[in-house]
Amino acid sequence: MKEFLDKYIKVIDRYIINKYLGTFVFTLGIFIVISVVFDISEHLDNFLSKHATLKEIAFQYYAGFIPFYINMLSPLINFLAVIFFTAKMADQTEIVPILSGKASFNRFLRPYFIAATLIFIVSFFANVYLIPYTNRLKNDFENSHGFNGDTDPTKSEVHLQLDKHTYVYLQSYDPVVHTGYTFILEKFNGDELKEKLFAQTIVYDSLKKKWALNNCTIRYVNGLHEQQLTGVHKDTVLDMRPSDFDVLHDNSYNAMSLSVLNTGIAKERIRGSGVLNNMLFEKYRRFVYPFSTFVLTLMGVSLSSRKVRGGIGLPLGIGIILCFAYIILDKFSFVFAEKDALPPILSVFIPNFMFGLLGLYLLYKAPK
């Protein structure tokens, strides 16, 4: 391994990699400390009024808060870190001797992309496996300590499609007593109604995984012949759970594991309650977002490798503006997916695609 590193990783490569990773970790650490300080000042009333213990705050809320913001900010901090230390190298005329030798600009980029690959690997596995778990810790704490207000956490007037033939309606659901009110179930064969069930209340049995339908009126339709039963009590298995009647906040999908998210997507394709695009966008984003590390690294090096008057101030200022532009474009891509203007699989690529084109243009204009 040492021989391999000595052969392919030269002194200048190690110098740039150490600069890259050191600046990235230091800058990210400063941003996280500032974020935590501001968050404590903003939510101190919630912590005190809900009597949250120090253990809960540290190992539940901030155990989710810190990974979430590290993951969200890492590509942008990475971009600023690359611009900062590369512009400093250019200002101190360290890049000129490298490019004046036998090294091409592509060879100069190699240590940057080695370091970016290390960040990408950590970011990728964090996005897919770690962040959903830590987000769940943070969301559970927020929901139980009044961060989302004290409004009713359950939906009302819920319409669901359980399968190709079965549709249900529930007027309201009380999660405390696991009881729903005014329940209607309809079964169709094509466009023809075959069965309609009305129940005043339904109760979920969490042990048996069944629903108890009380005081039912059931109407069976067979062509011109109909039969109606009243006052029926019925225990049945339905493809719905009490969690289907919870109000999902904007941060709910990013707290789902990949397997849970895939299951929810499969059900939503049948039910069609209007959140399929949000779920698909969240799934695709977990795999696509880490690639922004490479895109922004390419942009950062190409933008800041030229020595300019004023030192590192101009490249850093442009980098900050581009960071805000990336964030805005990322938000717009979600809106495109949510409003069905573009398929989620295309929307999620918009920021990386647009900034990738800009990065290639800057690479073309960079001093060789």
Side-chain angles (χ1 to χ4, degrees), residues 1 48 54 58 60-61 78 118 120 123 129 146 161 165 178 229 233 241 259-260 293-294 299 304 338 340 354-355 365:
M1 185 66 179
L48 297 177
L54 185 60
Q60 188 173 355
Y61 179 68
N78 162 63
L118 297 176
F120 165 79
S123 178
Y129 299 108
Q161 181 180 353
H165 308 288
H178 307 294
L229 304 176
H233 175 85
R241 297 289 183 271
S259 60
V260 172
T293 301
F294 296 117
M299 282 186 58
S304 56
E338 185 181 35
D340 210 17
M354 298 298 292
F355 273 70
K365 290 293 185 179

Side-chain angles (χ1 to χ4, degrees), residues 232-355:
V232 178
H233 175 85
K234 185 176 182 179
D235 291 337
T236 185
V237 176
L238 297 173
D239 186 19
M240 63 183 194
R241 297 289 183 271
S243 58
D244 293 328
F245 307 109
D246 291 338
V247 174
L248 293 178
H249 299 281
D250 293 338
N251 60 359
S252 298
Y253 304 119
N254 62 22
M256 295 179 179
S257 67
L258 191 60
S259 60
V260 172
L261 191 60
N262 285 332
T263 301
I265 289 171
K267 287 185 177 182
E268 183 57 30
R269 290 187 191 277
I270 297 174
R271 295 178 176 179
S273 62
V275 296
L276 177 61
N277 284 350
N278 300 38
M279 300 177 79
L280 287 173
F281 185 87
E282 171 62 27
K283 176 184 176 181
Y284 297 143
R285 192 175 188 274
R286 294 182 186 184
F287 294 93
V288 174
Y289 188 67
F291 284 96
S292 60
T293 301
F294 296 117
V295 174
L296 296 176
T297 295
L298 177 64
M299 282 186 58
V301 179
S302 303
L303 180 67
S304 56
S305 57
R306 184 189 302 272
K307 185 173 182 177
V308 295
R309 288 184 178 180
I312 66 174
L314 179 61
L316 198 59
I318 295 174
I320 292 173
I321 293 173
L322 289 175
C323 278
F324 282 108
Y326 185 90
I327 294 171
I328 292 171
L329 195 58
D330 185 57
K331 297 301 180 184
F332 269 111
S333 68
F334 173 73
V335 173
F336 291 150
E338 185 181 35
K339 302 302 181 182
D340 210 17
L342 283 174
I345 187 64
L346 295 181
S347 299
V348 79
F349 277 102
I350 288 176
N352 285 348
F353 177 75
M354 298 298 292
F355 273 70

Side-chain angles (χ1 to χ4, degrees), residues 40-211:
I40 290 175
S41 64
E42 181 180 354
H43 293 122
L44 187 60
D45 289 341
N46 294 92
F47 296 149
L48 297 177
S49 62
K50 299 295 182 177
H51 306 290
T53 65
L54 185 60
K55 181 179 179 182
E56 288 176 331
I57 295 171
F59 294 101
Q60 188 173 355
Y61 179 68
Y62 283 108
F65 177 93
I66 293 174
F68 173 79
Y69 278 97
I70 286 177
N71 179 67
M72 184 181 73
L73 294 174
S74 61
L76 303 177
I77 299 301
N78 162 63
F79 181 49
L80 294 178
V82 169
I83 289 177
F84 178 79
F85 85 83
T86 305
K88 191 173 181 181
M89 287 176 62
D91 187 57
Q92 295 175 348
T93 323
E94 295 181 19
I95 296 178
V96 173
I98 299 174
L99 298 181
S100 298
K102 295 182 179 181
S104 65
F105 196 81
N106 290 339
R107 176 62 183 84
F108 173 65
L109 286 174
R110 182 196 290 178
Y112 286 91
F113 278 88
I114 292 174
T117 300
L118 297 176
I119 296 174
F120 165 79
I121 292 172
V122 174
S123 178
F124 182 85
F125 282 97
N127 264 275
V128 176
Y129 299 108
L130 175 64
I131 301 301
Y133 171 75
T134 56
N135 282 345
R136 192 156 60 248
L137 291 176
K138 174 175 168 287
N139 291 355
D140 290 343
F141 182 92
E142 289 176 343
N143 293 335
S144 60
H145 290 79
F147 279 52
N148 297 317
D150 298 321
T151 57
D152 186 358
T154 57
K155 302 175 186 176
S156 59
E157 306 287 339
V158 177
H159 296 263
L160 292 176
Q161 181 180 353
L162 302 186
D163 55 45
K164 293 181 179 180
H165 308 288
T166 307
Y167 299 82
V168 300
Y169 163 81
L170 187 67
Q171 187 179 64
S172 60
Y173 183 79
D174 187 341
V176 178
V177 292
H178 307 294
T179 302
Y181 302 93
T182 311
F183 175 78
I184 299 174
L185 180 147
E186 295 177 324
K187 290 186 178 181
F188 289 84
N189 184 9
D191 295 331
E192 184 180 356
L193 178 65
K194 304 301 292 183
E195 179 183 340
K196 184 170 184 177
L197 179 149
F198 169 82
Q200 291 184 350
T201 61
I202 60 171
V203 181
Y204 184 68
D205 188 332
S206 57
L207 296 178
K208 297 181 180 179
K209 307 295 183 183
K210 290 184 178 182
W211 291 92

